[in-house]
């Protein structure tokens, strides 16, 4: 999925905020499933190099760029998903807060 998204961007197309937030929601579910599987196998609870984790980091970068185009509902969804993925750092939180205030 990530390779296909990168190819789309290289082609000059960008995902809309709706698509980004939807993909982020699905990625959050995927990472939760990967975490459960890793825990059941006796591995680390979070696998940083997993496909879901890599996709989550890529989506975070793209979504932060598109925040001004997001609706309040998309901002709330992004906030929760980034937090669940462990990708909500101070910078991302500040950017989302600015957009919430703007809305």
């Amino acid at each position: 999925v990530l390779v296909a998204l990168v190819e789309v961007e290289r082609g000059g197309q960008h995902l809309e905020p709706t698509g980004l937030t939807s993909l982020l929601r699905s990625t959050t579910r995927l990472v939760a499933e990967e975490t459960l599987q890793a825990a059941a196998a006796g591995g680390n609870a979070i696998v940083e190099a997993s496909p879901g984790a890599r996709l989550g980091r890529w989506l975070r970068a793209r979504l932060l760029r598109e925040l001004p185009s997001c609706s309040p509902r998309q901002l709330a969804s992004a906030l929760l998903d980034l937090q669940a993925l462990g990708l909500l750092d101070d910078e991302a939180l500040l950017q989302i807060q600015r957009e919430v205030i703007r809305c």
Side-chain angles (χ1 to χ4, degrees):
V1 173
L2 181 55
V3 173
L5 291 171
V6 169
E7 290 298 319
V8 166
E9 273 204 340
R10 284 187 186 149
Q13 297 176 337
H14 296 282
L15 291 172
E16 298 292 323
T18 301
L20 290 169
T21 54
S22 178
L23 283 170
L24 186 61
R25 167 93 327 233
S26 296
T27 300
T28 303
R29 291 180 182 149
L30 173 66
V31 169
E33 185 177 316
E34 289 173 345
T35 302
L36 288 174
Q37 289 175 355
N44 290 338
I46 297 176
V47 182
E48 292 295 324
S50 73
R54 287 193 310 266
L55 180 57
R57 288 189 296 273
W58 186 87
L59 286 168
R60 176 194 178 275
R62 297 316 176 272
L63 190 57
L64 290 179
R65 182 178 67 199
E66 298 295 327
L67 283 178
S69 302
C70 290
S71 70
R73 183 177 181 157
Q74 291 166 335
L75 292 170
S77 176
L79 180 68
L80 293 173
D81 289 334
L82 290 174
Q83 184 177 23
L85 292 170
L87 298 174
L88 187 65
D89 60 9
D90 290 341
E91 175 191 347
L93 181 59
L94 183 61
Q95 289 181 25
I96 292 171
Q97 284 175 333
R98 278 190 218 134
E99 290 305 317
V100 167
I101 291 168
R102 184 190 60 79
C103 287

